[in-house]
């Protein structure tokens, strides 16, 4: 294939990625975009962004998340300097990174494929896969995109940059070693020494930024109920979550931004159907990798891509800050796309099946692209996202709470109250929502119930000043000034 012809295909898949997600340019800030981008002082100047190399990713006083992603912060600072503080420029940055990742996917897969058609089908699917919309349409997905681009660059160049973008890149050298071994190229220790050096540098920088707090200490049952359920339940739940993410890659009918308590009930029994399903999928992955080793390089690499890039955030080895998130499948899903591309190319290589393979590829890519296009507008803003996704996932306490908060902010108090009550039905110890509901009830003229919820908020989160202030004001209005003074005296200083 000539040089211009080779360049045409990565440009094509990059353009496909842009066209599918261009609607994100109309979106605003949603969810983590607000603290990470809109309100983050660390990205307001390029000089200040350098402090990201010695600071946590989430620099929230009193909270430890064990996240260290300085290059992601620097990329956002550069983005802001080039495009101004509005959301469109940041969404444009995400679109360009996703297009680059799709183009690099073609180049990388072409390197390990025997046929350009397999690489084209796989990269085309990667460009439009609906499960990617969270990573692309949400600016906070920048970490996923940047890590993917740098990992694929490192694979082609055959890692420090990838590690400083997101922790899940840590096992990339294991993939490179598999690729070398399957390509009958001896993986010499001297070739991997630089990766050890990069890992050491990243570990030192991470230690400086986070100190001894290297894990997600602030993971709470609300965000990751499996983390608090013991190692056995955490592993069983993680296996089921992996099966669900793989299913979403191939059948993305229902996509949501939050899977926290109680969207995915913890799996506690090894004989529970979900446990058996998760184990069956894990066994199938293992069997596929073993059966394909040395027999089919593309299939082996596809399995390795999923396993090695999903494992660090899977909750299988250790607890993480979230039980499940679609963005976590961004880079691992390249393995799914690679396997699909290989199977489609194998179909096309059979006599008389070429047109069928092309038609199947076009149909699959078109269907996935249409689902992604339909999903992107849901990320327009917090209100749109919460009210859209709470319909699909009503068992998520955080989605119910988010819908209530954003509806209340838009003057829809009755609807907000309904969602607050549903959130508390799901998670009765939700301190923030006891406070929010108490404030709303006080405004509605239900002081007795408001007082009950505000006192419950204080009991659950005694270090939060807000419910003390709201309760004292409520008591003042009721003429109970001595009680109000007592509440203020008990408030944290």
């Amino acid at each position: 294939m000539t040089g211009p012809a080779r360049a045409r295909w990565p440009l094509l898949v990059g353009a496909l990625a842009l066209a599918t997600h261009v609607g994100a340019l109309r979106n605003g800030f949603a969810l983590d975009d607000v603290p990470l981008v809109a309100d983050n002082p660390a990205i307001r100047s390029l000089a200040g962004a350098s402090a990201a190399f010695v600071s946590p990713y989430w620099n929230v006083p009193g909270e430890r998340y064990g996240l260290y992603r300085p290059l992601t912060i620097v990329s956002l600072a550069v983005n802001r300097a080039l495009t101004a503080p509005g959301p469109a420029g940041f969404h444009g940055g995400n679109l360009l990174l996703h297009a680059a990742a799709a183009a690099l996917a073609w180049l990388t897969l072409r390197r390990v494929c025997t046929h350009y058609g397999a690489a084209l089908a796989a990269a085309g699917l990667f460009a439009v896969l609906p499960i990617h919309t969270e990573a692309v349409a949400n600016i906070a997905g920048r970490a996923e995109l940047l890590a993917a681009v740098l990992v694929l660059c490192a694979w082609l160049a055959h890692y420090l940059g990838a590690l400083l973008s997101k922790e899940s890149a840590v096992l990339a050298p294991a993939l490179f070693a598999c690729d070398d071994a399957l390509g009958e190229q001896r993986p010499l220790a001297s070739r991997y020494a630089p990766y050890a050096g990069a890992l050491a540098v990243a570990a030192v920088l991470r230690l400086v930024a986070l100190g001894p707090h290297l894990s997600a200490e602030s993971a709470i049952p609300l965000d990751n109920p499996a983390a608090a359920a013991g190692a056995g339940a955490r592993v069983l739940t993680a296996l089921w979550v992996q099966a669900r993410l793989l299913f979403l890659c191939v059948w993305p009918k229902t996509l949501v931004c939050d899977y926290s308590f109680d969207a995915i009930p913890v799996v506690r029994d090894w004989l529970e159907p979900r446990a058996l399903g998760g184990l069956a999928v894990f066994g199938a992955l293992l069997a596929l990798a073993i059966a394909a080793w040395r027999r089919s390089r593309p299939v082996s690499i596809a399995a390795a891509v999923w396993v090695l890039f999903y494992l660090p955030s899977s909750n299988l080895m250790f607890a993480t800050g979230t039980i499940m998130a679609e963005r976590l499948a961004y880079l691992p899903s390249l393995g799914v796309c690679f396997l699909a591309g290989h199977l489609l190319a194998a179909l096309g290589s059979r006599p008389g099946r070429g047109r069928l393979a092309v038609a199947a590829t076009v149909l699959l890519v078109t269907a996935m692209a249409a689902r992604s296009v339909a999903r992107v507008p849901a990320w327009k803003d917090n209100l749109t996202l919460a009210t859209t996704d709470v319909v699909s996932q009503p068992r998520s306490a955080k989605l119910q709470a988010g819908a209530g908060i954003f509806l209340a902010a838009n003057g829809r108090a009755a609807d907000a109250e309904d969602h607050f009550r549903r959130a508390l039905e799901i998670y009765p110890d939700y301190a923030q929502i006891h406070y929010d509901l108490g404030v709303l009830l006080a405004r509605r003229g239900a002081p007795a119930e408001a007082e009950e919820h505000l006192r419950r908020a204080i009991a659950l989160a005694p270090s939060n000043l807000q419910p003390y202030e709201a309760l004292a004001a409520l008591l003042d209005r009721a003429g109970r000034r001595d009680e109000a003074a007592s509440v203020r005296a008990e408030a944290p200083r």
Side-chain angles (χ1 to χ4, degrees):
M1 189 180 294
T2 64
R6 279 195 299 267
R8 177 177 60 199
W9 299 116
L11 289 175
L12 175 64
V13 295
L16 181 60
L18 288 174
T20 300
H21 298 89
V22 69
L25 293 174
R26 295 190 292 270
N27 290 354
F29 296 117
L31 299 185
D32 291 345
D33 293 351
V34 178
L36 184 64
V37 183
D39 297 339
N40 190 354
I43 70 169
R44 290 176 186 167
S45 71
L46 295 179
S50 61
F53 287 92
V54 291
S55 304
Y57 182 60
W58 287 109
N59 202 0
V60 181
E63 297 184 14
R64 298 284 185 175
Y65 290 95
L67 300 179
Y68 177 64
R69 302 170 186 174
L71 277 190
T72 301
I73 296 297
V74 170
S75 80
L76 293 170
V78 171
N79 205 148
R80 191 179 194 276
L82 293 174
T83 64
F90 292 102
H91 284 297
N94 273 25
L95 288 179
L96 291 175
L97 282 170
H98 179 51
L104 287 166
W106 187 90
L107 294 168
T108 304
L109 297 177
R110 183 71 182 98
R111 178 178 174 273
V112 297
C113 282
T114 56
H115 192 274
Y116 81 92
L120 183 59
L125 284 171
F126 185 80
V128 303
L129 211 63
I131 202 171
H132 293 169
T133 51
E134 178 178 0
V136 181
N138 189 212
I139 301 166
R142 177 69 57 93
E144 318 292 337
L145 305 173
L146 198 57
V149 167
L150 292 171
V151 162
L152 293 173
C153 284
W155 195 358
L156 284 171
H158 139 153
Y159 130 77
L160 178 60
L163 277 176
L164 300 182
S165 299
K166 192 166 185 197
E167 300 84 351
S168 57
V170 68
L171 294 180
L175 174 65
F176 307 157
C178 288
D179 186 24
D180 284 348
L182 290 167
E184 299 183 355
Q185 183 172 357
R186 186 181 177 186
L188 300 173
S190 59
R191 297 185 63 197
Y192 293 89
Y195 297 131
L199 181 59
V201 171
V204 170
L205 289 172
R206 180 182 175 87
L207 183 62
V208 170
L210 303 181
H213 304 282
L214 300 180
S215 62
E217 292 184 4
S218 293
I220 59 174
L222 178 61
D223 294 317
N224 187 358
R234 171 174 56 79
V235 170
L236 287 176
T237 306
L239 290 171
W240 171 243
V241 166
Q242 176 181 237
R244 286 194 60 169
L245 280 174
L246 282 166
F247 181 74
L248 281 178
C249 286
V250 298
W251 188 255
K253 179 183 178 182
T254 302
L255 300 172
V256 296
C257 64
D258 183 81
Y259 291 89
S260 58
F261 193 92
D262 193 28
I264 301 177
V266 174
V267 182
R268 301 179 186 276
D269 189 341
W270 288 87
L271 296 179
E272 186 179 335
R274 291 181 300 154
L276 296 175
L279 286 166
V281 170
F282 178 78
L285 275 173
L286 188 61
L288 181 67
I290 293 173
W293 187 260
R294 297 288 186 187
R295 293 188 181 93
S296 175
R297 183 183 184 191
V299 174
S300 296
I301 293 295
V305 167
W306 174 270
V307 171
L308 293 174
F309 289 133
Y310 179 63
L311 191 60
S313 58
S314 66
N315 283 296
L316 286 168
M317 297 191 298
F318 46 81
T320 68
T322 181
I323 188 171
M324 175 176 169
E326 292 164 12
R327 64 182 180 276
L328 301 180
Y330 183 77
L331 186 53
S333 68
L334 180 59
V336 178
C337 296
F338 191 10
L339 179 61
H342 176 69
L343 294 176
L344 288 167
L347 174 64
S349 66
R350 295 182 179 182
R353 299 294 178 88
R355 291 184 178 179
L356 176 61
V358 171
T361 301
V362 171
L363 180 63
L364 184 58
V365 170
T366 301
M368 293 292 186
R371 181 68 185 96
S372 292
V373 169
R375 175 63 179 163
V376 166
W379 289 89
K380 177 183 177 182
D381 52 41
N382 282 329
L383 178 61
T384 303
L385 186 62
T387 53
T388 298
D389 287 4
V390 77
V391 175
S392 301
Q393 188 57 273
R395 287 297 304 168
S396 166
K398 288 184 74 172
L399 278 176
Q400 293 288 357
I405 290 169
F406 304 127
L407 285 166
N410 283 268
R412 296 168 59 182
D415 292 334
E417 181 179 338
D418 182 52
H419 285 288
F420 285 152
R421 293 189 186 279
R422 292 182 189 177
L424 291 175
E425 287 175 4
I426 298 168
Y427 191 65
D429 291 342
Y430 207 149
Q432 180 64 42
I433 302 310
H434 278 290
Y435 165 73
D436 289 327
L437 180 56
V439 170
L440 188 147
L441 290 169
R443 291 174 180 167
R444 181 164 69 77
E449 190 179 2
E451 179 180 347
E452 179 184 338
H453 284 287
L454 291 172
R455 290 192 183 279
R456 182 60 177 154
I458 290 171
L460 291 168
S463 62
N464 184 2
L465 180 61
Q466 287 181 311
Y468 291 91
E469 293 177 336
L471 178 58
L474 180 69
L475 294 172
D476 273 335
R477 289 194 296 273
R480 298 157 62 185
R481 303 194 185 283
D482 289 343
E483 292 180 65
S486 177
V487 169
R488 290 191 176 96
E490 295 170 0
R493 297 290 183 266

